[in-house]
Amino acid sequence: MPADTAPSVRSRAEALGAPWTEGAGARALRLVLDHAELIAEVTETGAAQTAARTRRQQYGNTERAADDPQFLRVLAEAAARSAVATAAADSLVRRAAEGSASVADAELIAAGLTALSREAVRALFETLGASSTLTEHGLHRFWERMHDLEAR
């Protein structure tokens, strides 16, 4: 089945039975999926925001932020975090469908992705600088989502 027509991780997770539909299993699975989604969105937003910057960055080496080796390294690290989070979520759902994943596995993955989410959001704001905190950019929603996930 081609990748663009393959069922999403989230839709595959919705088809799982017990213990993934209620209680601790459902909670841990939702956290894994939500953190992986948050990390992917932060990564995409960071890349788009960096590519959109055309002015020379203070102390930058290039005219465009998207060409700056430091930005490129940060974007590569973000892409790596996103790939790890997506693979972890996909692996958990696949193993849950096979019956080889436990709720404890899901809770452990959720804890790891919590740390990755925190790092992804922190890196986004650190990389984009003070202007990223302006309400008009709407990036505060990532902090809010991360804190909402941590409160679950």
Side-chain angles (χ1 to χ4, degrees), residues 36-137:
E37 184 178 82
L38 173 61
I39 293 166
E41 288 179 28
V42 166
T43 300
E44 291 170 16
T45 299
Q49 291 279 327
T50 300
R53 290 176 181 245
T54 56
R55 69 173 178 83
R56 182 172 175 80
Q57 302 296 307
Q58 186 176 11
Y59 308 114
N61 300 321
T62 62
E63 289 298 320
R64 293 179 338 121
D67 297 328
D68 188 307
Q70 292 173 327
F71 276 99
L72 293 173
R73 179 185 51 78
V74 169
L75 293 175
E77 290 171 357
R81 276 191 298 273
S82 184
V84 166
T86 299
D90 187 55
S91 175
L92 176 63
V93 170
R94 182 180 36 77
R95 289 177 39 227
E98 295 168 353
S100 62
S102 69
V103 172
D105 294 336
E107 289 170 340
L108 185 61
I109 293 168
L113 292 186
T114 297
L116 278 182
S117 288
R118 201 175 304 122
E119 176 61 20
V121 172
R122 183 206 56 78
L124 174 72
F125 283 94
E126 184 177 280
T127 302
L128 296 178
S131 65
S132 65
T133 63
L134 297 173
T135 304
E136 65 198 49
H137 297 301

Side-chain angles (χ1 to χ4, degrees), residues 1 29-30 32 35 61 65-66 76 93-95 105 123 129 144:
M1 179 180 297
L29 179 61
R30 278 193 312 272
V32 167
H35 276 295
N61 300 321
V93 170
R94 182 180 36 77
R95 289 177 39 227
D105 294 336
E144 291 168 1

